[in-house]
Amino acid sequence: MTLHIPDAPLRRTFSVWLAAVTAVVLAAAVLAMTPTRANAAADAVLLGTADSFGVLAGATVTNTGPTVVNGLNVGVSPGTAITGFFPTTPTGPGIVTPPGTLHSADEVAGQAKTDLNTAYNSAAGQTSPTEEYNDDPHEFGGQTLTPGLYKADVSAGITDTLTLDAQGNPDAVWVFQIGSTLTTADNSTVSFINGASPCNVYWQVGSSATLGTNSTFVGTILADTSITATTGATINGRLLADAGLRGDGAVTLDSNTIGLSGCGSATTGETTGTTTGTTTGETTGTTTGTTTGETTGTTTGTTTGETTGTTTGTTTGETTGTTTGTTTGETTGTTTGETTGETTGETTGETTGETTGGTTGGHDHDCKPHKHKGYGDSGYGGKDDGYGCDAA
């Protein structure tokens, strides 16, 4: 007996199978071309002692034009060449403002280079990118990116404006992993919105970075090889090159401004104004030394409490102002020293309390003089037996 199996069902089965395989292949192709998203957040990169450097290279740091590095160090190691900065180049024209200074192949620069290598590897080793791009170069300009890890497999560029949105989180972190080169266009900008901080932006660059003329850049570049900042580029961050510790990396500058702002800072200076309120409490101790200066202002309020101790020294200066209020409390102790100066002003208020201490000298007016004679033509006239006390 011969079995007759229709060809149509077989053809239909094969067609269904072929369509399924084609769909899988197409889906894989689309997935490969589409940035992948993950929920993992980027981790802040610990810079170690490299944190104090605005510019760091392996072989040379070269500057042309009036570059200013604000408050951060400039260093090179194991190379020694720093040119175009005062005082290594007497005429500058680049300057480093305090507390920043120059470090040429010294222990500080050497340790910073070691810490840069550790930081670079830490940034490069982060996984689960928020987005990953395989186009070459990938264009970051025109995008608004929330905190996360962004990976460009090959190279990357910034044209126009890249906006980093912290979404109200001052601790938000961005890490950019660039496979080879990073290039920003002339007049391009990296900007912040909603509380982002330049201290939390890191660019790990597989080879070299170039920042365009008059561009505005934000974040710390950790480059394996070299960094070039062209004329007029402004960097709110750091330029740290030669992360591979080969010693052949360079940073090249031209009329740039480099520093960190918006990362939190201390307040230093002078405070002038008026203090109004009430101080309550007790101060106990000894003050020894010399106070010199001038206090100007108005203090209004009430001071209540007790001051106990000994003040020894010299106070020299001038106090000008008005004190209004009520002082209530007890002052116990000894004041020894010299007060020299001038007090000008008006004291209005009420003083209530008790003063305990010793008084030596003078005379006791509870004892009345028997009589005083007047002044004579040639001196004091005669007088009775001076001061005395009549018996009760």
Side-chain angles (χ1 to χ4, degrees):
M1 176 181 290
T2 301
L3 296 176
H4 296 281
I5 301 176
D7 292 337
L10 292 176
R11 286 195 297 271
R12 284 196 298 271
T13 300
F14 178 77
S15 298
V16 171
W17 177 84
L18 181 61
V21 171
T22 302
V24 170
V25 171
L26 290 174
V30 171
L31 183 62
M33 297 298 292
T34 304
T36 57
R37 282 193 172 272
N39 293 325
D43 295 325
V45 179
L46 301 180
L47 298 175
T49 61
D51 181 82
S52 67
F53 281 79
V55 178
L56 182 63
T60 61
V61 173
T62 304
N63 172 63
T64 302
T67 292
V68 178
V69 180
N70 287 311
L72 296 172
N73 295 325
V74 173
V76 60
S77 179
T80 60
I82 300 177
T83 60
F85 280 98
F86 179 85
T88 55
T89 302
T91 58
I95 61 172
V96 179
T97 66
T101 187
L102 302 180
H103 293 275
S104 175
D106 60 9
E107 182 179 353
V108 174
Q111 183 60 54
K113 278 292 302 300
T114 299
D115 292 345
L116 169 59
N117 177 255
T118 300
Y120 178 91
N121 291 332
S122 173
Q126 295 193 33
T127 58
S128 301
T130 305
E131 291 190 4
E132 183 172 358
Y133 314 92
N134 59 13
D135 53 331
D136 182 26
H138 175 70
E139 176 58 60
F140 281 111
Q143 298 188 55
T144 297
L145 300 179
T146 56
L149 173 63
Y150 296 89
K151 183 175 183 180
D153 292 333
V154 190
S155 63
I158 301 174
T159 304
D160 297 326
T161 300
L162 166 63
T163 303
L164 305 180
D165 182 0
Q167 299 180 317
N169 178 12
D171 298 321
V173 174
W174 289 261
V175 174
F176 294 88
Q177 297 173 333
I178 314 298
S180 58
T181 60
L182 170 66
T183 305
T184 70
D186 295 350
N187 302 304
S188 61
T189 300
V190 179
S191 66
F192 282 155
I193 58 174
N194 297 325
S197 167
C199 284
N200 295 333
V201 181
Y202 308 91
W203 302 81
Q204 177 261 315
V205 180
S207 58
S208 299
T210 302
L211 305 180
T213 300
N214 296 323
S215 60
T216 300
F217 188 81
V218 171
T220 296
I221 296 179
L222 311 167
D224 185 62
T225 305
S226 64
I227 302 171
T228 299
T230 58
T231 307
T234 298
I235 299 92
N236 189 359
R238 308 175 182 87
L239 305 180
L240 311 179
D242 197 13
L245 300 180
R246 295 178 307 278
D248 58 356
V251 175
T252 304
L253 307 171
D254 182 1
S255 306
N256 309 119
T257 300
I258 302 167
L260 279 171
S261 63
C263 295
S265 60
T267 300
T268 303
E270 179 180 349
T271 302
T272 304
T274 301
T275 303
T276 303
T278 301
T279 303
T280 304
E282 178 177 344
T283 303
T284 304
T286 302
T287 303
T288 304
T290 301
T291 303
T292 304
E294 179 177 344
T295 303
T296 303
T298 301
T299 302
T300 305
T302 302
T303 302
T304 305
E306 179 178 346
T307 302
T308 304
T310 302
T311 303
T312 303
T314 303
T315 302
T316 305
E318 179 179 345
T319 302
T320 304
T322 302
T323 302
T324 304
T326 301
T327 303
T328 304
E330 179 179 347
T331 303
T332 304
T334 303
T335 302
T336 304
E338 177 183 349
T339 302
T340 305
E342 178 182 347
T343 302
T344 304
E346 178 182 348
T347 301
T348 305
E350 178 182 349
T351 302
T352 304
E354 179 182 346
T355 302
T356 303
T359 303
T360 304
H363 53 266
D364 187 349
H365 284 281
D366 288 338
C367 298
K368 306 297 182 180
H370 286 231
K371 65 174 73 172
H372 287 279
K373 299 283 183 142
Y375 289 92
D377 292 337
S378 60
Y380 286 96
K383 63 181 179 179
D384 256 351
D385 49 357
Y387 288 86
C389 297
D390 295 328

